[in-house]
Amino acid sequence: MKQRTFKPEGAVLGNTSKSGSAAGSPRRTSVSALRERPQAQVLIIGGGINGVGTFRDLALQGVDVALVERGDYCQGASGASSHMIHGGIRYLENGEFRLVQESVVERNRLLKIAPHYVKPLQTTIPIFSTFSGILSAPTRFLTHKRGKPKERGAFLIKLGLSMYDFFSRDGGSVPRHQFLGKEKALTELPRLHPGIKYAATYFDASVHNPERLTLDVLQDGEKAGSASSLPGGSARASNYVAMVSTDSPAGQAGAVLLRDELTGEEFSFQADVIVNATGAWVDLTNEAMGAASRFMGGTKGSHIVLDHPELLAACGGREIFFEHTDGRIVLIYPMGDRVLVGTTDVEADMAQDAVCTDAEIDYFFDLVGHVFPSIKVERDHIVYSFAGVRPLPRHDDTQPGFVSRDYRIERSGPKPSGAAPAGDLTAAGGKAAVVLSLVGGKWTTFRALAEHLSNDVLRELGMDRKVSTAELAIGGGLDFPDSEDGIQDWIKKHMASGFDADRVNGLLTRYGTRAEDVMAYLAAGEDRKLRSTNELSVRELEFMAANEQIGHLVDVLIRRTSLAFRGLVTGELLNEVAEVLAMHLGWDSAKRQAEIQHAQEVLRRFHGVTVHSLVA
Ligand SMILES: Cc1cc2nc3c(=O)[nH]c(=O)nc-3n(C[C@H](O)[C@H](O)[C@H](O)COP(=O)(O)OP(=O)(O)OC[C@H]3O[C@@H](n4cnc5c(N)ncnc54)[C@H](O)[C@@H]3O)c2cc1C
């Protein structure tokens, strides 16, 4: 059975053709590498952070691994998160102690191994009551049924934060929490609601650029596999390649049918172990592979991004994390010069696009008013919105906010010794592949999750772990300066190659210490800044086109840079970026125009942004 169509962004363009090559889209090397050697020990389906994390881990163990993602990397839930790398203090009241402990440990690790993108985040909880929620919280451990939870009072929050500190004790990466009375709290954050009784402040972390962190993890994996003598290396990955079904024309054992979403070309691929890391789509993916499952029960969450200097100043550089009047935990926090507001938690309909609705926007305005009543927020302040579906386990009448955030791995396929049970992925006369389906998994725990999933895969393959990723720097986090002074020194040192301080800083922020490779590339030829933005140059776009698997113009705007997130996409920028990419990706003029329209449509439909066209 072929997978039902659900292509969050790709559906907009509709440019795939069965004929084998859509006009203006030359064959990509990432796809050729899969087609030319259409087998691997492991095939990972899904290029969100969990699939990509597992790809890196397996590549480091010397496993022959391939990964396919039907859209762009980090386009699903991984690109729609609240950007928090957190222990999940809230999960304590769900009784998820294992998850909180693992999350805190992983948060501390990511601050060390990915310091270029994961930064400490000071967080303040405004508290309006002293004892509320104490009686309801313990019963919530047991029931988690529908109904409005009682407000969480100061006592309960203090208890939670003390447990949180306890779990953090070994890392020493973040300071302990602090509790302030009303007066002191309002001195620190004077725009907070005057009705608060206390404010608790503690540290978590945030990931500033999840899309680029995903790419770094992926490239670490590719690099680990590049030394192999296998054609294409032992770690191959391609975006815009979907797993569509099992009906392999070649009839190979354990084979699935893959489709290049940019050209429509289909080809068969065979693996001994298939990792289904397709997040909220896990059941649909299993269905397409002929093995029905009912693991998932995703919930949708949305965010808005505001250009609102008054609100930005009111946050004082902190995340404001609090309970809204409906009992949901929500957040307001500065991301650079913008303010992120989120999030909702509603049952998802996988047949619909995940978008931020008008009702959700009203909810966000209401929650800002709950803690900052003197600050007015209007629709004109919104520069970007986004939504995604959390890959949560199926939950019956448990409230969405209380569904377990922990993960598990479901195995199907032959027992190590023998025959495949009916309904498993088995091509005619062949050996069945083992399918490992990932159910759940937060951003925060991706490294640990990848290690668990890899261990399961290694067991299936009869191989041993060679490398631990626990202390291994990720991509441009290697040798990243660990202080503001260190950053300034790094910038000064690299200005020697003819770049001004702003440019070096911009590149270090975007790529971490991988900026050295980018600068070497920029310096090797004639370059100029784009007319439409100071943040990009022609050669940097060329670098992305050559090294970062750009499938669509919109990938650059949303996932290789944060220009869309910050509301900085203009008609002129669209034209200019499309023009440079066209030269390097072989797009003809019709394809270039189609890409501009596609970017406009994706921004309008999924992010509430209207960008007017200019005549090219
Ligand atoms: C609103 C919201 C807020 C969140 N906030 C946080 C937070 O602050 N901190 C935190 O730790 N976590 C947070 N999370 C959770 C976290 O973002 C996700 O759990 C995590 O990103 C899931 O990653 P994944 O790789 O498992 O799934 P995804 O990122 O969804 O990746 C699955 C991928 O599979 C691809 N795919 C599907 N079908 C196919 C196919 N047939 N062939 C090829 N590819 C396919 C999809 O295109 C998708 O890219 C949040 C999630 C949401 C939605």
Side-chain angles (χ1 to χ4, degrees):
M1 180 186 300
K2 285 212 175 181
Q3 189 174 36
R4 281 186 257 151
T5 309
F6 184 84
K7 294 182 278 176
E9 289 179 7
V12 174
L13 193 61
N15 69 341
T16 57
S17 81
K18 282 265 179 189
S19 65
S21 174
S25 289
R27 183 170 289 168
R28 295 172 292 148
T29 49
S30 57
V31 181
S32 308
L34 296 172
R35 289 182 64 117
E36 281 159 20
R37 187 167 63 83
Q39 75 268 97
Q41 285 174 294
V42 182
L43 173 67
I44 299 173
I45 309 170
I49 189 56
N50 287 322
V52 168
T54 307
F55 173 78
R56 172 183 185 247
D57 194 308
L58 287 172
L60 285 161
Q61 313 314 322
V63 172
D64 180 18
V65 57
L67 178 146
V68 291
E69 160 57 51
R70 70 177 171 188
D72 192 13
Y73 302 113
C74 201
Q75 182 186 294
S78 302
S81 84
S82 301
H83 294 62
M84 283 170 71
I85 297 296
H86 61 152
I89 180 162
R90 185 166 74 74
Y91 310 142
L92 286 173
E93 66 182 342
N94 284 9
E96 298 194 88
F97 301 109
R98 188 211 77 81
L99 175 65
V100 177
Q101 180 159 26
E102 182 176 80
S103 302
V104 168
V105 169
E106 289 303 312
R107 177 198 67 192
N108 294 346
R109 274 199 180 123
L110 286 174
L111 282 164
K112 287 184 193 140
I113 65 176
H116 52 325
Y117 298 134
V118 179
K119 312 275 179 191
L121 177 67
Q122 193 178 15
T123 301
T124 289
I125 311 179
I127 304 166
F128 291 86
S129 75
T130 307
F131 291 111
S132 192
I134 295 231
L135 292 177
S136 59
T139 51
R140 224 177 290 149
F141 278 2
L142 302 174
T143 60
H144 304 156
K145 299 290 187 212
R146 293 188 186 278
K148 186 178 169 232
K150 275 257 168 63
E151 185 186 341
R152 296 149 181 98
F155 197 82
L156 196 62
I157 293 169
K158 176 87 189 155
L159 191 72
L161 285 170
S162 303
M163 286 166 85
Y164 209 57
D165 282 345
F166 177 76
F167 285 142
S168 300
R169 71 196 184 286
D170 55 339
S173 311
V174 298
R176 289 174 168 267
H177 82 270
Q178 258 196 338
F179 231 80
L180 294 182
K182 170 179 179 159
E183 212 171 301
K184 280 202 172 145
L186 288 176
T187 309
E188 285 189 359
L189 296 169
R191 302 295 295 272
L192 274 184
H193 196 298
I196 60 161
K197 287 198 164 166
Y198 311 90
T201 297
Y202 66 105
F203 275 85
D204 252 325
S206 74
V207 53
H208 286 217
N209 205 330
E211 295 82 7
R212 290 213 74 95
L213 179 51
T214 306
L215 204 60
D216 257 11
V217 175
L218 183 92
Q219 293 187 337
D220 276 1
E222 289 178 324
K223 194 169 160 201
S226 63
S228 154
S229 57
L230 289 168
S234 61
R236 296 163 290 159
S238 186
N239 54 1
Y240 296 105
V241 172
M243 189 292 300
V244 285
S245 72
T246 58
D247 51 353
S248 148
Q252 292 152 298
V256 291
L257 193 66
L258 302 181
R259 180 175 63 216
D260 181 340
E261 292 290 336
L262 299 186
T263 63
E265 287 173 299
E266 293 186 341
F267 57 100
S268 178
F269 198 92
Q270 191 271 331
D272 302 326
V273 178
I274 294 180
V275 174
N276 178 356
T278 56
W281 297 276
V282 157
D283 290 335
L284 295 178
T285 306
N286 282 337
E287 183 185 315
M289 291 193 288
S293 63
R294 292 182 79 238
F295 301 139
M296 308 306 299
T299 67
K300 186 193 83 162
S302 300
H303 294 85
I304 51 174
V305 182
L306 303 171
D307 180 4
H308 198 312
E310 192 188 356
L311 182 60
L312 183 72
C315 292
R318 304 174 186 194
E319 174 185 38
I320 311 297
F321 192 60
F322 59 100
E323 178 177 343
H324 194 26
T325 46
D326 60 353
R328 272 204 45 68
I329 304 291
V330 290
L331 50 91
I332 305 174
Y333 78 95
M335 301 248 0
D337 54 2
R338 301 290 187 250
V339 184
L340 182 67
V341 180
T343 174
T344 45
D345 208 343
V346 290
E347 300 296 347
D349 176 353
M350 295 310 288
Q352 303 288 322
D353 292 336
V355 293
C356 178
T357 62
D358 269 349
E360 287 176 303
I361 292 175
D362 290 339
Y363 179 83
F364 295 141
F365 287 179
D366 194 53
L367 73 83
V368 174
H370 182 57
V371 285
F372 293 119
S374 61
I375 295 179
K376 204 164 168 45
V377 187
E378 288 171 345
R379 279 178 160 66
D380 280 357
H381 291 119
I382 304 176
V383 295
Y384 191 69
S385 65
F386 57 98
V389 181
R390 299 174 181 87
L392 301 182
R394 179 167 290 274
H395 49 276
D396 298 320
D397 62 347
T398 302
Q399 287 189 65
F402 290 99
V403 177
S404 169
R405 262 47 176 178
D406 213 340
Y407 56 85
R408 67 176 203 270
I409 299 157
E410 293 280 350
R411 181 189 190 281
S412 66
K415 300 242 166 355
S417 57
D424 283 323
L425 174 61
T426 317
K431 182 177 130 239
V434 168
V435 178
L436 299 176
S437 300
L438 172 63
V439 183
K442 281 152 39 91
W443 238 108
T444 308
T445 50
F446 83 85
R447 192 215 60 83
L449 179 154
E451 191 174 276
H452 287 169
L453 199 38
S454 284
N455 286 345
D456 284 12
V457 172
L458 291 171
R459 202 170 307 120
E460 297 292 344
L461 298 174
M463 291 172 68
D464 291 326
R465 171 167 291 277
K466 292 183 190 155
V467 179
S468 163
T469 55
E471 312 291 332
L472 209 60
I474 295 174
L478 182 66
D479 298 328
F480 192 82
D482 60 4
S483 65
E484 195 39 49
D485 285 350
I487 289 178
Q488 292 312 321
D489 288 347
W490 200 96
I491 292 173
K492 266 190 218 127
K493 185 173 150 207
H494 290 84
M495 282 168 66
S497 13
F499 299 97
D500 66 29
D502 277 354
R503 182 71 169 135
V504 178
N505 190 22
L507 293 169
L508 183 64
T509 306
R510 180 141 56 230
Y511 300 95
T513 52
R514 275 193 170 160
E516 279 184 347
D517 298 342
V518 183
M519 280 187 271
Y521 185 91
L522 302 186
E526 206 172 304
D527 197 12
R528 67 166 174 82
K529 282 202 175 153
L530 298 193
R531 293 180 299 277
S532 50
T533 174
N534 262 336
E535 297 182 21
L536 279 174
S537 72
V538 169
R539 276 188 77 81
E540 190 182 345
L541 281 175
E542 277 177 35
F543 178 87
M544 289 178 187
N547 298 291
E548 299 191 340
Q549 295 194 28
I550 309 294
H552 287 300
L553 166 60
V554 81
D555 299 342
V556 172
L557 309 173
I558 297 181
R559 288 172 288 269
R560 304 299 180 276
T561 70
S562 55
L563 289 163
F565 186 92
R566 289 177 292 144
L568 299 178
V569 178
T570 59
E572 193 189 1
L573 182 87
L574 283 183
N575 278 350
E576 220 185 349
V577 175
E579 189 186 316
V580 179
L581 291 181
M583 281 188 291
H584 297 282
L585 296 175
W587 295 344
D588 59 22
S589 65
K591 169 78 174 157
R592 198 175 82 193
Q593 271 316 312
E595 284 294 332
I596 291 174
Q597 281 165 13
H598 172 249
Q600 286 173 311
E601 184 58 10
V602 168
L603 290 170
R604 186 191 65 74
R605 193 155 127 194
F606 297 98
H607 305 290
V609 175
T610 304
V611 184
H612 295 290
S613 290
L614 297 178
V615 178

